[in-house]
Amino acid sequence: MKLDTLIVSDNQKVQNLLIDKIRELINYKNLEPGDKLPSERMLSEKFEVSRGMVREAIQKLEFYGLLESKPQSGTFVANIGIIALNGMIDDILRLEEQDFKSLVETRILLELKTVKLASLRRSEEDLAHIKEMLDAYEKKALSGEDAVQEDLLFHLAIAKASGNGTMNKFMLTITPQIIIDFGKYHVCDKNQAVLGIAEHKAIYEAIKEQNPDIARQKMKDHFSVLYQYCYNSK
């Protein structure tokens, strides 16, 4: 059966099957760290799936540091050793989809740290970008429109300003699922969005004044409703 015939809800299964097939290919060809994988086109033909699906599987393995893509050169096996690679792929395939509670916990832990770092490290350019996202959020919220995406872009701007590429990458990784879950669980209604304007402004001002302790406290206050929702909704 072609993997492309599986329904959309089974996307995770498709991705795991592709990851396992890439692992089998690495082992079958005895590829060593630094060796090049076949092109996305060749892999899509071999596995009978779209190039987009292959690209997603490769990107996931890149995220965990098992593959490395080089512009104009291709994708290569990372320099971690084949035994470690196989063991890590086993762990990746056992991972279950994150639930909403896990995403909220992860987001809060990350952002309490990123906001402190942003207040210490932000540049004037970073500050201008945060303000731009704040204004976009305020405009949407006051008009009564759904402002979830603008809300998260504001928080991503703070993560970028933290100067920590790893934390920023984690935020970028979990943000799409947060957007989906906010809509699914109706987390942020119009009234909460309007109340969030003042909270966002307080966070922005603390970053502007480069006060990490106040910035962290304002972020913690901002998440209080979300945190309560997470633990009281189920």
Side-chain angles (χ1 to χ4, degrees):
M1 178 179 65
K2 291 186 177 182
L3 299 185
D4 267 340
T5 62
L6 294 177
I7 59 176
V8 175
S9 62
D10 286 332
N11 184 63
Q12 184 69 37
K13 293 179 181 178
V14 174
Q15 194 174 82
N16 284 347
L17 282 170
L18 278 172
I19 288 172
D20 196 37
K21 285 180 176 293
I22 291 171
R23 188 247 301 267
E24 289 177 358
L25 179 70
I26 290 172
N27 289 318
Y28 176 74
K29 290 186 172 292
N30 293 316
L31 297 181
E32 297 289 338
D35 286 346
K36 185 178 179 179
L37 286 181
S39 67
E40 287 181 3
R41 179 184 60 78
M42 293 177 67
L43 290 174
S44 68
E45 292 175 357
K46 179 177 179 60
F47 300 145
E48 298 184 290
V49 296
S50 68
R51 291 180 65 175
M53 286 183 170
V54 171
R55 188 174 301 114
E56 285 183 12
I58 288 174
Q59 288 174 343
K60 186 168 185 178
L61 290 172
E62 281 187 284
F63 174 76
Y64 288 106
L66 304 181
L67 296 178
E68 180 183 4
S69 289
K70 299 179 181 179
Q72 310 303 321
S73 298
T75 303
F76 300 82
V77 179
N79 189 28
I80 66 168
I82 297 302
I83 293 175
L85 181 143
N86 277 297
M88 289 183 67
I89 288 180
D90 283 338
D91 289 338
I92 292 168
L93 295 177
R94 282 195 292 265
L95 287 175
E96 297 180 358
E97 287 190 39
Q98 293 178 312
D99 56 42
F100 183 51
K101 176 180 173 181
S102 297
L103 285 171
V104 169
E105 289 177 336
T106 302
R107 182 186 175 189
I108 291 173
L109 288 170
L110 280 173
E111 294 215 50
L112 291 180
K113 186 63 177 179
T114 57
V115 76
K116 288 189 69 173
L117 293 176
S119 66
L120 293 169
R121 300 174 176 174
R122 60 84 177 161
S123 65
E124 290 302 316
E125 182 180 352
D126 290 328
L127 193 64
H129 183 50
I130 295 170
K131 184 62 165 62
E132 181 184 356
M133 296 302 101
L134 169 60
D135 291 343
Y137 172 80
E138 181 176 12
K139 182 179 179 181
K140 270 287 189 74
L142 289 177
S143 69
E145 298 179 69
D146 184 344
V148 169
Q149 294 180 58
E150 287 74 16
D151 177 19
L152 289 170
L153 287 174
F154 170 78
H155 289 274
L156 284 173
I158 293 173
K160 182 177 182 297
S162 73
N164 186 303
T166 301
M167 288 185 178
N168 190 29
K169 189 173 183 178
F170 277 133
M171 280 294 295
L172 289 167
T173 301
I174 66 176
T175 292
Q177 190 59 48
I178 289 174
I179 292 175
I180 293 170
D181 285 346
F182 268 38
K184 180 179 179 181
Y185 297 110
H186 307 288
V187 174
C188 189
D189 61 24
K190 294 178 181 178
N191 292 330
Q192 289 174 328
V194 173
L195 290 173
I197 295 172
E199 295 172 354
H200 282 193
K201 286 183 176 180
I203 294 167
Y204 167 77
E205 288 298 329
I207 295 173
K208 180 180 179 181
E209 297 301 320
Q210 296 189 296
N211 191 318
D213 293 331
I214 292 180
R216 185 183 187 280
Q217 185 58 52
K218 294 302 181 182
M219 184 67 80
K220 187 175 181 181
D221 294 342
H222 177 55
F223 280 136
S224 61
V225 173
L226 180 59
Y227 196 80
Q228 290 171 10
Y229 176 91
C230 177
Y231 285 95
N232 295 334
S233 61
K234 293 184 178 181

